[in-house]
Amino acid sequence: MKFSATKSTLVYALQIVQKAVSPRNPVPTLSGILFKTGADQLTVSATDLDLTIECTVPVTVHEPGNIVLPARYITELARRLPDVPILIETLTAGSAATISYGQSQSNIHGFPADQYPELPELPEAPALLISQGKLKEVIRQVIFAASTDETRPVFTGALLEIRDGALTLVATDTHRLAWCRLPVQADEIISIIVPGKTFTEMLKITGNSEEEDVTVYVSQSHVFFVTSVMQISSRVIAGKFPPYQQVIPREFSTRIKAVTRELLEATERASLLITEGMPVVHFNLEKDACVLSVHTEAGWIREEMDLQVEGEPLQISFNSRYLCDALRAINSNEVLINMTGPLSAAVIRCPENTQYLSLLLPAQPKPARSE
Amino acid sequence: MKFSATKSTLVYALQIVQKAVSPRNPVPTLSGILFKTGADQLTVSATDLDLTIECTVPVTVHEPGNIVLPARYITELARRLPDVPILIETLTAGSAATISYGQSQSNIHGFPADQYPELPELPEAPALLISQGKLKEVIRQVIFAASTDETRPVFTGALLEIRDGALTLVATDTHRLAWCRLPVQADEIISIIVPGKTFTEMLKITGNSEEEDVTVYVSQSHVFFVTSVMQISSRVIAGKFPPYQQVIPREFSTRIKAVTRELLEATERASLLITEGMPVVHFNLEKDACVLSVHTEAGWIREEMDLQVEGEPLQISFNSRYLCDALRAINSNEVLINMTGPLSAAVIRCPENTQYLSLLLPAQPKPARSE
């Protein structure tokens, strides 16, 4: 293998795939990045066996070939190279590469490419074409509700369904749930559970333009998100996603309408005093009066908010971290919260958007205590 | 105590003093910030008994008084307050304060001010007046050479001397030394050892303009740096700073002149491959040819630099972390390194500045190994 590239091209490609490297994996090649040159292009790939990221960039190929290089050295070195043409070539053995820049050189030990695990193969027919920006926004609005508890794998993912001209994404950790629906053009019916980690990493990748389309492919065991420069593939989670429609309350007895940022900031302030146990904030709702309060050993806080309260008066408590997550996922200036008593799930919505909601179970109110 | 302030005033003052709070100190009041109101001003103070920071800002005082409030709550709360007038008042007991903003309130438990340790008292006569920007630059150029090993306290500080119309700052951890001299107008002769931590914190405080003067006061046991809004005081370190003049080589047999940034970047790149033991980089110097190299299990790197080499050819090795620290302290485009053999300290200088230098002992070259 022998190719020349600019520093920026190399750094761009390595930074994108780096997120899938698993540095502490007992399989040593997995701490590396696979380099593969084709006709005037370089494809770099990294995988942790669940998530695989590949990035293809234009380079000048002098001799096609491949090698696996340790991610930590090659990414750090690339980032610190001077801004001159970079020549990378492998020795005959194919287990070390020389990086030449100006009058200087570095030689890094790697692994022959045939020791790298086989990467999942892209199915022939795409399932869906969607704009990167829209897909990311749907993911951002839903993924916070996924669980991180690996003992129940189904809850660590998000259900991605395509049917009836719409894409639906749902995540729940059983305490909360987020649901988003987006009209799409697709013929296939698809229902898979995508690992939360895959979506979280996708949000971090600032690829090319958000306007660009991403093509989604689905195989028996994998889902693929493909753009002109990169391909992200992920194992799907086996199992059955719980039937969630039935838990979404259709009616409510109390509703508040608040400025999203104000409610979020008040909840964040109220949480500051909580340093132990579950961070619970209390709401006292009466006609057009909302008081948010917390009492702890450290002191108390009482936030009185001017916001619209309709329906029955209600005293209700929430895990403040969960409430903040839900409010941060709201992408509208105002937020609606529909409630049906102190023990039933609240429904959090953007006004004028029936295609998004999240659900939040109230926290058990703590026994009253004297100040 | 009762006063009104804007959010930005409060946040500004708290952020400055916060650096002296010692959250894990067994004395509970030390995890707090002392509030004290005088005539139309608020002074907040924090101390870890070594370092004390006080900041005075204009507020509207309704009732003078004082209280100690837990730093973590009051600073976080202040930062998250809405941008409305803030009213802070203590209850009659003086051990809790109510913070009112808009229609909302928080009450934080604190401590009566008389439980706070006594703060060092400012001497009457100042020792020196110096511009903040110049003082910070001298500190930045020297403080990296101080030790962090608390078993030998003298080396954890920097010697600050004022005599013969100059301020001299010197720090050494015995492997390296940095020295800077600045002409000043001062009559007093002063020689104290200031803790490195004090200087490091001073560099982090972005107070008001760098142009503003800072007045230095020295008492038996403390040094004070005073500006119009803040006062930083620090215990001085008892002991005798080692005689350093005699270790500074006056002659040299090999000299290199390099572009500071190029030499720094090459050294940083060369260090990347070193993951175990002391990070040693090797220099091979011949007439106008400098080769920097590192060999490790992971591979090798060979940086060939176009730079001016005068005098005897030399092979010399340095701890790359120390060398990078020294090069980062150089504030000129070019750097001079004067050497007198592979085992003697190198002298690192800015060209055209005889008032700054740092010294770096070479690393013992490792036994040669085959590639």
Side-chain angles (χ1 to χ4, degrees):
Chain A
M1 184 187 72
K2 186 172 176 183
F3 69 91
S4 327
T6 62
K7 174 190 171 175
S8 58
T9 302
L10 209 56
V11 169
Y12 171 79
L14 291 172
Q15 273 179 339
I16 283 180
V17 302
Q18 200 189 355
K19 299 194 166 51
V21 172
S22 50
R24 270 170 293 277
N25 198 293
V27 182
T29 49
L30 290 188
S31 65
I33 290 175
L34 174 66
F35 283 67
K36 211 173 199 167
T37 48
D40 282 330
Q41 61 183 32
L42 164 73
T43 299
V44 286
S45 315
T47 184
D48 63 9
L49 300 181
D50 284 341
L51 174 69
T52 303
I53 307 180
E54 299 184 49
C55 182
T56 300
V57 286
V59 299
T60 306
V61 176
H62 308 294
E63 238 176 69
N66 47 43
I67 191 172
V68 178
L69 293 176
R72 56 184 294 188
Y73 297 129
I74 189 67
T75 50
E76 267 305 301
L77 181 65
R79 204 174 295 158
R80 289 170 185 274
L81 285 176
D83 208 356
V84 297
I86 318 291
L87 179 75
I88 301 189
E89 63 186 311
T90 51
L91 303 181
T92 43
S95 62
T98 303
I99 298 102
S100 306
Y101 45 99
Q103 300 161 279
S104 301
Q105 284 194 319
S106 178
N107 185 279
I108 296 181
H109 301 321
F111 308 93
D114 56 16
Q115 290 180 19
Y116 204 72
E118 251 182 68
L119 300 179
E121 216 168 288
L122 197 68
E124 274 186 24
L128 175 71
L129 197 73
I130 185 173
S131 101
Q132 238 180 96
K134 276 188 186 165
L135 179 62
K136 277 194 177 179
E137 182 55 16
V138 171
I139 294 173
R140 195 189 67 77
Q141 286 198 288
V142 167
I143 202 60
F144 72 90
S147 170
T148 52
D149 175 4
E150 296 289 342
T151 59
R152 297 193 297 178
V154 163
F155 294 102
T156 64
L159 176 70
L160 188 162
E161 279 200 321
I162 301 173
R163 71 172 77 207
D164 307 334
L167 174 155
T168 310
L169 202 67
V170 193
T172 179
D173 64 2
T174 72
H175 304 290
R176 50 190 172 159
L177 177 148
W179 171 94
C180 193
R181 200 168 172 278
L182 191 73
V184 292
Q185 285 192 320
D187 301 325
E188 254 186 290
I189 292 180
I190 281 167
S191 180
I192 52 175
I193 304 172
V194 181
K197 192 192 164 228
T198 298
F199 280 147
T200 314
E201 293 302 335
M202 278 175 71
L203 291 182
K204 288 185 207 158
I205 295 174
T206 45
N208 33 1
S209 153
E210 301 283 294
E211 301 293 305
E212 205 199 340
D213 278 339
V214 45
T215 313
V216 183
Y217 296 78
V218 177
S219 75
Q220 201 69 18
S221 55
H222 284 82
V223 56
F224 301 76
F225 301 93
V226 182
T227 72
S228 59
V229 288
M230 73 183 102
Q231 174 180 319
I232 298 172
S233 55
S234 168
R235 183 184 57 81
V236 298
I237 296 175
K240 206 173 140 43
F241 202 79
Y244 62 89
Q245 287 91 342
Q246 65 206 48
V247 303
I248 302 174
R250 304 288 162 190
E251 291 172 351
F252 61 91
S253 53
T254 309
R255 153 183 285 190
I256 66 176
K257 185 179 195 175
V259 174
T260 316
R261 197 178 49 79
E262 285 177 6
L263 184 56
L264 174 61
E265 289 177 355
T267 309
E268 286 174 338
R269 275 195 295 273
S271 317
L272 287 177
L273 290 173
I274 310 168
T275 54
E276 287 175 0
M278 198 204 278
V280 175
V281 293
H282 309 281
F283 284 83
N284 194 351
L285 304 171
E286 287 176 20
K287 174 134 185 69
D288 290 337
C290 166
V291 174
L292 196 165
S293 64
V294 163
H295 281 79
T296 71
E297 299 285 336
W300 53 260
I301 192 162
R302 187 179 182 285
E303 293 267 345
E304 203 174 319
M305 272 175 292
D306 277 329
L307 49 78
Q308 202 179 309
V309 182
E310 288 170 32
E312 300 294 312
L314 178 63
Q315 295 203 325
I316 190 167
S317 304
F318 292 108
N319 178 319
S320 68
R321 213 172 46 233
Y322 290 172
L323 181 58
C324 289
D325 284 347
L327 292 172
R328 282 188 204 109
I330 296 291
N331 58 10
S332 58
N333 187 33
E334 288 188 311
V335 58
L336 289 178
I337 307 184
N338 295 343
M339 289 157 282
T340 41
L343 300 174
S344 309
V347 181
I348 302 169
R349 284 184 178 279
C350 310
E352 296 159 29
N353 176 4
T354 56
Q355 305 299 297
Y356 176 71
L357 64 80
S358 81
L359 232 69
L360 178 53
L361 277 178
Q364 294 292 342
K366 277 197 280 190
R369 47 195 275 178
S370 55
E371 274 163 40
Chain B
M1 184 187 72
K2 186 172 175 182
F3 69 91
S4 326
T6 62
K7 173 189 173 178
S8 57
T9 302
L10 209 56
V11 169
Y12 171 79
L14 291 172
Q15 274 179 339
I16 284 180
V17 301
Q18 200 188 352
K19 298 193 168 54
V21 172
S22 50
R24 270 170 295 276
N25 198 294
V27 181
T29 48
L30 289 189
S31 65
I33 290 175
L34 174 66
F35 284 67
K36 211 174 201 168
T37 47
D40 281 332
Q41 62 183 32
L42 163 73
T43 300
V44 286
S45 315
T47 185
D48 62 9
L49 299 181
D50 284 341
L51 174 69
T52 303
I53 307 180
E54 300 184 48
C55 182
T56 300
V57 286
V59 301
T60 307
V61 177
H62 308 295
E63 236 174 70
N66 47 43
I67 191 172
V68 178
L69 292 176
R72 56 184 295 187
Y73 297 129
I74 189 66
T75 50
E76 266 306 301
L77 182 63
R79 203 175 293 157
R80 289 171 186 275
L81 285 176
D83 206 357
V84 298
I86 318 293
L87 180 75
I88 300 189
E89 63 186 311
T90 52
L91 302 182
T92 43
S95 61
T98 303
I99 297 103
S100 306
Y101 45 99
Q103 299 163 279
S104 300
Q105 284 195 317
S106 178
N107 185 281
I108 297 180
H109 300 322
F111 307 92
D114 55 16
Q115 290 180 20
Y116 203 70
E118 249 183 71
L119 300 180
E121 216 167 288
L122 197 68
E124 275 187 25
L128 175 71
L129 197 74
I130 185 174
S131 101
Q132 237 179 100
K134 276 187 188 165
L135 179 62
K136 278 195 178 178
E137 183 56 15
V138 170
I139 294 173
R140 195 188 67 77
Q141 286 198 288
V142 167
I143 202 61
F144 73 89
S147 170
T148 51
D149 176 3
E150 296 289 342
T151 59
R152 298 193 295 176
V154 164
F155 294 102
T156 64
L159 175 70
L160 189 162
E161 279 199 321
I162 301 173
R163 73 171 76 208
D164 305 335
L167 176 154
T168 311
L169 203 66
V170 193
T172 179
D173 64 2
T174 72
H175 303 291
R176 48 190 172 159
L177 177 149
W179 170 93
C180 193
R181 200 168 173 278
L182 191 72
V184 292
Q185 284 192 320
D187 300 325
E188 254 185 291
I189 292 181
I190 281 166
S191 179
I192 51 173
I193 303 173
V194 181
K197 192 192 164 226
T198 298
F199 280 147
T200 314
E201 293 303 335
M202 278 175 70
L203 291 182
K204 288 187 208 155
I205 295 174
T206 45
N208 34 0
S209 153
E210 300 283 295
E211 301 294 305
E212 205 199 339
D213 278 339
V214 43
T215 314
V216 183
Y217 296 78
V218 178
S219 75
Q220 201 70 18
S221 55
H222 285 81
V223 56
F224 301 76
F225 302 92
V226 182
T227 72
S228 59
V229 288
M230 71 183 103
Q231 174 181 319
I232 298 173
S233 55
S234 167
R235 184 184 57 79
V236 298
I237 295 175
K240 206 173 139 45
F241 201 78
Y244 61 88
Q245 286 93 341
Q246 63 206 50
V247 304
I248 302 174
R250 303 291 162 188
E251 292 172 351
F252 61 91
S253 52
T254 309
R255 154 182 284 188
I256 66 176
K257 185 178 195 175
V259 174
T260 315
R261 196 178 51 80
E262 285 177 6
L263 184 56
L264 174 61
E265 288 177 356
T267 310
E268 286 175 338
R269 277 194 297 272
S271 318
L272 287 177
L273 290 174
I274 310 168
T275 54
E276 287 174 0
M278 198 204 278
V280 175
V281 293
H282 309 282
F283 284 83
N284 194 351
L285 304 171
E286 289 177 20
K287 173 133 187 67
D288 289 339
C290 167
V291 175
L292 196 166
S293 65
V294 162
H295 281 79
T296 72
E297 298 285 335
W300 53 260
I301 192 162
R302 187 179 183 283
E303 293 268 344
E304 202 174 319
M305 272 175 291
D306 278 329
L307 50 79
Q308 202 179 311
V309 182
E310 288 169 32
E312 300 294 314
L314 177 63
Q315 295 202 326
I316 191 167
S317 304
F318 293 108
N319 178 318
S320 68
R321 214 172 46 235
Y322 290 173
L323 181 58
C324 289
D325 285 347
L327 292 171
R328 282 187 205 111
I330 295 292
N331 59 9
S332 59
N333 187 33
E334 288 188 311
V335 58
L336 289 179
I337 307 184
N338 295 343
M339 289 157 282
T340 41
L343 300 173
S344 310
V347 180
I348 302 169
R349 285 185 177 280
C350 310
E352 297 160 28
N353 177 1
T354 57
Q355 305 300 298
Y356 176 71
L357 64 81
S358 82
L359 232 68
L360 179 53
L361 276 178
Q364 294 292 343
K366 277 197 281 189
R369 46 195 276 181
S370 56
E371 274 164 40

